Amino acid sequence: MPESRTYETQQDCPVARTLDVVGDRWTILILRDLSWGRRRYSTLLESLKGISTNLLSDRLKKLEEAEMIVAVPYSAHPPRSEYKLTAKGKAFVPILAAIRDYGEEWEPQAEPVATQTR
């Protein structure tokens, strides 16, 4: 299990314990992409514009340690894996849907800035 970032006084709080697992930048977006069927490292890297390779590797490792995902090898030479949600990871999908629904209602997409023409 990854090292807890929750203060001892927060250990009784299930929200705080959950944030220890999914509260890092990019983690929820990685889970979103995996729930959409994006499973390979290169596909995740392409989808998550702006994430560094080191950070993606770190987040995948932490999700594996938390047993939310599993790496399944698909090539021996070179060694490559694809990532799949475990039962614990799949149980988070309704939470992703709730976050999406909240964002659609309360955090609307910004209107595109009109371009000027000459």
Side-chain angles (χ1 to χ4, degrees):
M1 185 63 125
E3 183 178 325
S4 174
R5 293 179 299 140
T6 303
Y7 291 102
E8 189 174 325
T9 58
Q10 295 295 315
Q11 285 302 309
D12 291 334
C13 177
V15 173
R17 291 191 312 267
T18 301
L19 284 175
D20 268 350
V21 177
V22 301
D24 290 324
R25 182 171 172 84
W26 297 104
T27 301
I28 289 177
L29 296 176
I30 292 168
L31 291 168
R32 175 206 63 191
D33 280 11
L34 290 171
S35 76
W36 288 351
R38 295 180 177 128
R39 293 192 167 97
R40 294 190 176 178
Y41 183 89
S42 60
T43 308
L44 291 168
L45 192 59
E46 182 180 321
S47 172
L48 300 166
K49 301 284 186 210
I51 192 170
S52 70
T53 56
N54 290 344
L55 193 55
L56 178 56
S57 294
D58 177 68
R59 295 299 184 262
L60 289 169
K61 181 180 176 186
K62 287 181 179 180
L63 287 168
E64 279 187 275
E65 290 171 355
E67 299 178 347
M68 292 192 76
I69 66 171
V70 63
V72 179
Y74 69 88
S75 171
H77 299 287
R80 295 180 191 231
S81 298
E82 62 181 21
Y83 300 89
K84 295 184 180 180
L85 295 173
T86 62
K88 184 177 177 181
K90 289 176 184 174
F92 196 76
V93 172
I95 297 163
L96 292 169
I99 292 170
R100 179 204 60 220
D101 293 347
Y102 176 90
E104 286 179 352
E105 183 168 347
W106 296 102
E107 301 298 334
Q109 186 174 6
E111 294 292 325
V113 178
T115 57
Q116 294 180 348
T117 58
R118 292 185 191 235

